[in-house]
């Protein structure tokens, strides 16, 4: 039986909290919506969950209600008393770390496999996402990512080749993970309402293609999409052996990055690894 909790709006008012523009905060108050978000990863009972930027704890309480064991990283100390109240209401289920999630080793902090669920602060959301997707160690320690982004960013993560939204984020999210847009969230659900719509992206890791260096793939996509209007022969000429690799795998150097499928980028990175 979950403890009775005051409405989040009351908690915000009682602690004199307001969303900080500088920290990219927007608070979610709709309890039913928050419960739906917490349900996206599946059964959380007893499962370790990392939450970044919990703010006053709206999503946190939904995850706790679902049985998750939450480690929350919050750098806004104004929110800590509200989170402390949640910790008291759910004994042994919530641990709060005051700090910058960009500077904390998440795997070391969590110890065991964990799910990530977060209404990410807009100003660090993409950087954190790329960090979770990067690195040679795979599968990662996280079992899934359930993340709130601006709708435009979410669409870039799940985009298909040949579309305007397709780019580096899509390749990084899809070459060894499954990424889907799980839910759109109207701007009116937030306090204060942001200028744009938001969406929840759900990502689960899958087997990594053999013989591919994540570092090389990241380098190739960064170069290719860094000058996306240019042909590959121009955008990749600064990457050693890249033009030779294009020739070997039979990719026309006059193509542009957004026309290459995720699989083609994988084959290119694999071939590049054999030439280095």
């Amino acid at each position: 039986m979950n403890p009775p909790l005051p409405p989040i709006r009351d908690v915000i008012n009682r602690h004199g909290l307001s969303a900080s523009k500088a920290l990219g905060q927007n608070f979610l108050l709709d309890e039913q919506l928050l419960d739906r978000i917490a349900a996206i990863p599946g059964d959380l009972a007893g499962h370790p969950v990392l939450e970044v930027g919990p703010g006053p704890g709206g999503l946190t309480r939904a995850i706790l209600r679902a049985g998750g064991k939450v480690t929350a990283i919050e750098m806004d100390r104004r929110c800590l008393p509200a989170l402390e109240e949640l910790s008291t209401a759910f004994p042994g289920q919530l641990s709060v770390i005051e700090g910058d999630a960009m500077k904390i080793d998440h795997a070391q902090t969590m110890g065991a496999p964990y799910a990530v669920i977060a209404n990410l602060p807009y100003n660090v959301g993409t950087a954190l996402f790329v960090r979770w997707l990067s690195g040679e160690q795979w599968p990662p320690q996280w079992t899934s990512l359930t993340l709130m982004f601006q709708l435009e960013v979410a669409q870039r993560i799940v985009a298909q080749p040949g579309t305007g939204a397709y780019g580096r984020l899509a390749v990084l999210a899809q070459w060894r993970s499954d990424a889907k847009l799980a839910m759109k969230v109207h701007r009116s659900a937030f306090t204060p309402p942001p200028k744009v719509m938001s969406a929840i992206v759900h990502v689960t890791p899958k087997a990594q293609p053999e013989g591919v260096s994540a570092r090389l793939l990241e380098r190739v996509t960064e170069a290719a999409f860094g000058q996306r209007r240019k042909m590959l022969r121009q955008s990749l000429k600064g990457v050693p052996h890249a033009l030779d690799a294009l020739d070997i795998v039979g990719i026309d150097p006059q193509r542009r990055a957004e026309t290459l499928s995720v699989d083609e980028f994988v084959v290119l990175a694999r071939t590049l690894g054999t030439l280095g």
Side-chain angles (χ1 to χ4, degrees):
M1 184 72 179
N2 290 315
L5 296 170
I8 305 164
R9 192 180 296 278
D10 290 359
V11 174
I12 290 171
N13 292 338
R14 184 157 41 82
H15 290 282
L17 298 174
S18 58
S20 162
K21 234 179 187 176
L23 295 175
Q25 290 174 332
N26 293 94
F27 298 153
L28 270 176
L29 305 183
D30 185 330
E31 299 263 351
Q32 285 186 313
L33 174 64
L34 290 164
D35 284 337
R36 282 171 59 207
I37 294 170
I40 290 171
D43 184 10
L44 291 177
H47 196 74
V49 176
L50 173 66
E51 184 186 8
V52 174
L59 181 56
T60 317
R61 59 167 70 185
I63 301 168
L64 293 169
R65 274 196 295 262
K69 295 195 70 174
V70 181
T71 298
I73 302 175
E74 178 57 69
M75 66 184 301
D76 184 357
R77 59 180 48 190
R78 299 175 309 150
C79 296
L80 299 182
L83 294 171
E84 185 59 39
E85 289 175 10
L86 272 184
S87 187
T88 302
F90 292 87
Q93 261 186 269
L94 174 61
S95 166
V96 180
I97 298 171
E98 182 187 354
D100 183 347
M102 291 293 292
K103 296 177 181 174
I104 291 171
D105 185 324
H106 303 155
Q108 191 175 29
T109 298
M110 298 303 292
Y114 61 97
V116 181
I117 308 175
N119 172 15
L120 289 174
Y122 284 158
N123 51 359
V124 295
T126 305
L128 275 170
F129 185 60
V130 169
R131 178 175 147 185
W132 282 317
L133 293 171
S134 300
E136 299 296 338
Q137 184 188 337
W138 205 263
Q141 201 167 314
W142 51 265
T143 54
S144 67
L145 306 173
T146 306
L147 305 171
M148 176 89 73
F149 289 102
Q150 293 178 348
L151 179 59
E152 180 190 349
V153 177
Q155 289 170 331
R156 282 164 51 201
I157 291 166
V158 301
Q160 295 301 302
T163 63
Y166 182 71
R168 179 169 172 255
L169 266 189
V171 179
L172 291 182
Q174 296 174 35
W175 80 280
R176 55 183 182 179
S177 304
D178 287 315
K180 67 175 184 178
L181 202 155
M183 183 196 303
K184 291 183 181 179
V185 182
H186 198 272
R187 49 188 295 277
S188 61
F190 295 90
T191 299
K195 293 189 173 76
V196 295
M197 291 278 284
S198 298
I200 304 285
V201 171
H202 184 62
V203 179
T204 50
K206 61 184 181 184
Q208 176 175 321
E210 288 184 16
V212 184
S213 157
R215 183 183 54 79
L216 268 180
L217 185 89
E218 287 162 24
R219 187 171 180 192
V220 168
T221 52
E222 193 171 359
F225 289 107
Q227 305 178 69
R228 62 184 298 144
R229 294 184 182 276
K230 294 189 175 179
M231 296 177 186
L232 291 170
R233 69 183 183 201
Q234 280 295 112
S235 59
L236 292 181
K237 68 180 182 182
V239 180
H241 310 297
L243 300 186
D244 293 333
L246 284 174
D247 187 44
I248 291 169
V249 301
I251 294 175
D252 185 348
Q254 296 191 69
R255 288 172 65 184
R256 290 180 171 82
E258 68 261 26
T259 70
L260 266 65
S261 68
V262 173
D263 287 344
E264 284 178 307
F265 273 112
V266 166
V267 170
L268 187 58
R270 180 186 286 126
T271 306
L272 204 51
T274 66
L275 296 175

